[in-house]
Amino acid sequence: FTGNLQTANQLIKKGIYLSFGLKLLQSQKLQGTFKKMPIYSIFLETDDSDSKITDLYKKAAELYDICIDELKEKIFQNFKLVFGEQWEQNG
C-alpha cells in the first residue's frame, strides 16, 4: 500500500488488510499514514525487491514504538486470521 490516510481508512472499514513494502523505508508521508493504521490491519512484504524484510520490520516496529518480536506476533495473528484454516491444513 502506498496511498493516503483517507484511502487506507476506507479500505480498512471494508475489512481489507494493507500490505506495506519498501516504500515505507523511504517515504515520510507513508510513514505518517502507517503510524495511524491499526496494527490488526497490516502486513509487511518485500515482494517488489531484493531487500531484507528485517529492515522493514525494524522500521515498522520503530514507527509503532514496539519491539520487533511484538510486531512479528501481531502480524502473525493477522496472517492466521486471513489464511489460518488453509495454512494449518497445508502447513
Side-chain angles (χ1 to χ4, degrees):
F1 181 81
T2 59
N4 62 37
L5 182 58
Q6 181 181 3
T7 301
N9 285 329
Q10 290 172 347
L11 293 169
I12 289 168
K13 284 180 185 176
K14 293 181 185 257
I16 296 172
Y17 289 76
L18 304 178
S19 183
F20 290 84
L22 293 178
K23 187 146 185 165
L24 186 62
L25 298 174
Q26 304 158 346
S27 169
Q28 288 186 354
K29 184 176 179 182
L30 186 59
Q31 290 170 14
T33 297
F34 180 83
K35 288 194 295 190
K36 295 176 182 166
M37 295 297 93
I39 202 164
Y40 64 79
S41 67
I42 64 145
F43 288 107
L44 299 173
E45 49 90 5
T46 58
D47 293 347
D48 59 352
S49 80
D50 293 329
S51 296
K52 295 179 181 179
I53 191 76
T54 54
D55 294 337
L56 194 54
Y57 269 82
K58 285 178 190 175
K59 185 62 172 181
E62 174 188 314
L63 292 170
Y64 275 126
D65 195 27
I66 60 175
C67 70
I68 291 175
D69 288 337
E70 183 179 353
L71 178 66
K72 287 180 186 178
E73 181 58 34
K74 301 233 184 235
I75 291 178
F76 185 58
Q77 293 302 318
N78 295 347
F79 177 83
K80 289 193 303 187
L81 284 172
V82 174
F83 302 106
E85 192 172 307
Q86 297 167 341
W87 177 72
E88 288 176 13
Q89 290 174 0
N90 297 324

